[in-house]
Amino acid sequence: MATESSIKDAFANYTDYLNRLNDKRERVVKASRDITINSKKVIFQVHRISKNNKDEVLDKAVKDLASVTEQHVSRLVKELQGTDFWKLRRAYSPGVQEYVEAATLCNFCKNGTLLILDEINATLLPLSDPSLQPLQINILDYLLGLADLTGELMRLAIGRISDGELEYAEKICRFVRDIYRELTLLAPHMDDNTDMKTKMDTMLQSIMKIENACFSVHVRGSEYVQLPGSSDPSYLLLGMPDREI
């Protein structure tokens, strides 16, 4: 009887543990979904950028990103700090990748540099209880988010070309090439690289789209003349800015 009772107690503990884990997973999935939705809003805000409103748009995007961190990422941190959070990685990975994408896009547009993993994790530390192991974004989720960044940079580059900012588009192109080159060297050595292989193919397509757009402007530049009364030497491929008459 004692043996039977101990077995029942053991399985009751297992049941309780799994129920708590499933409840936590549901909360983590919800937090990840909220992070994804609101990080996308930050990305959409960045794409509103133009020659005339860059500082205004980016300042709002940075504020919106800070709100995502304080309101939604903080929930994820509180759920996972002090636990074996790697067990639930699949539940929160999509949100973290989208957050990395939004953060790195804002940083590139504002500073022209790559936001590294240590800098992102440093922003999460104040959200954690100092007495518990803090949640830190792992390298894989960071790299997958970085791979997605290149797609947004491609859209940004095409938009900048249409606004006459060819040099900025070429800067984006060089930046995306650098990321692709480094990931090409790294991806074969990743343990779980199935997702990365798919994203590498998409990344190469993004590079080609930027290069083709920039190339078209250079080759066909002679077809576009400077507007009368304008001091702007930019060649316009996809459209012209509004001008007062």
Side-chain angles (χ1 to χ4, degrees), residues 149-166:
L149 167 68
T150 59
E152 298 302 332
L153 288 175
M154 179 271 293
R155 296 179 184 90
L156 185 65
I158 299 301
R160 294 306 84 232
I161 290 174
S162 69
D163 210 17
E165 294 185 274
L166 179 58

Side-chain angles (χ1 to χ4, degrees), residues 98-165:
E98 197 72 32
Y99 178 74
V100 168
E101 184 179 353
T104 50
L105 179 63
C106 283
N107 189 79
F108 173 79
C109 292
K110 198 164 183 67
N111 305 314
T113 58
L114 175 65
L115 185 66
I116 64 174
L117 178 59
D118 288 344
E119 293 174 314
I120 297 178
N121 279 331
T123 65
L124 304 185
L125 287 177
L127 306 175
S128 303
D129 186 334
S131 64
L132 300 174
Q133 181 184 4
L135 171 66
Q136 295 283 272
I137 297 174
N138 63 57
I139 295 176
L140 179 58
D141 286 334
Y142 172 75
L143 293 178
L144 291 172
L146 201 60
D148 289 334
L149 167 68
T150 59
E152 298 302 332
L153 288 175
M154 179 271 293
R155 296 179 184 90
L156 185 65
I158 299 301
R160 294 306 84 232
I161 290 174
S162 69
D163 210 17
E165 294 185 274

Side-chain angles (χ1 to χ4, degrees), residues 31-155:
S32 175
R33 188 180 301 119
D34 290 340
I35 293 171
T36 298
I37 292 171
N38 288 279
S39 294
K40 286 183 181 296
K41 291 180 180 178
V42 174
I43 293 172
F44 295 154
Q45 171 64 22
V46 173
H47 281 300
R48 294 189 176 98
I49 193 173
S50 71
K51 287 191 295 186
N52 301 321
N53 67 1
K54 180 178 179 181
D55 291 338
E56 177 185 350
V57 168
L58 292 181
D59 286 345
K60 186 177 187 308
V62 170
K63 290 179 181 178
D64 290 346
L65 182 65
S67 296
V68 175
T69 304
E70 295 169 3
Q71 298 177 20
H72 303 291
V73 177
S74 61
R75 286 168 46 207
L76 188 65
V77 170
K78 290 176 181 177
E79 284 291 343
L80 297 174
Q81 64 181 355
T83 67
D84 296 330
F85 46 79
W86 54 269
K87 293 180 181 178
L88 296 174
R89 178 184 168 269
R90 288 291 182 184
Y92 67 80
S93 179
V96 168
Q97 291 179 38
E98 197 72 32
Y99 178 74
V100 168
E101 184 179 353
T104 50
L105 179 63
C106 283
N107 189 79
F108 173 79
C109 292
K110 198 164 183 67
N111 305 314
T113 58
L114 175 65
L115 185 66
I116 64 174
L117 178 59
D118 288 344
E119 293 174 314
I120 297 178
N121 279 331
T123 65
L124 304 185
L125 287 177
L127 306 175
S128 303
D129 186 334
S131 64
L132 300 174
Q133 181 184 4
L135 171 66
Q136 295 283 272
I137 297 174
N138 63 57
I139 295 176
L140 179 58
D141 286 334
Y142 172 75
L143 293 178
L144 291 172
L146 201 60
D148 289 334
L149 167 68
T150 59
E152 298 302 332
L153 288 175
M154 179 271 293
R155 296 179 184 90

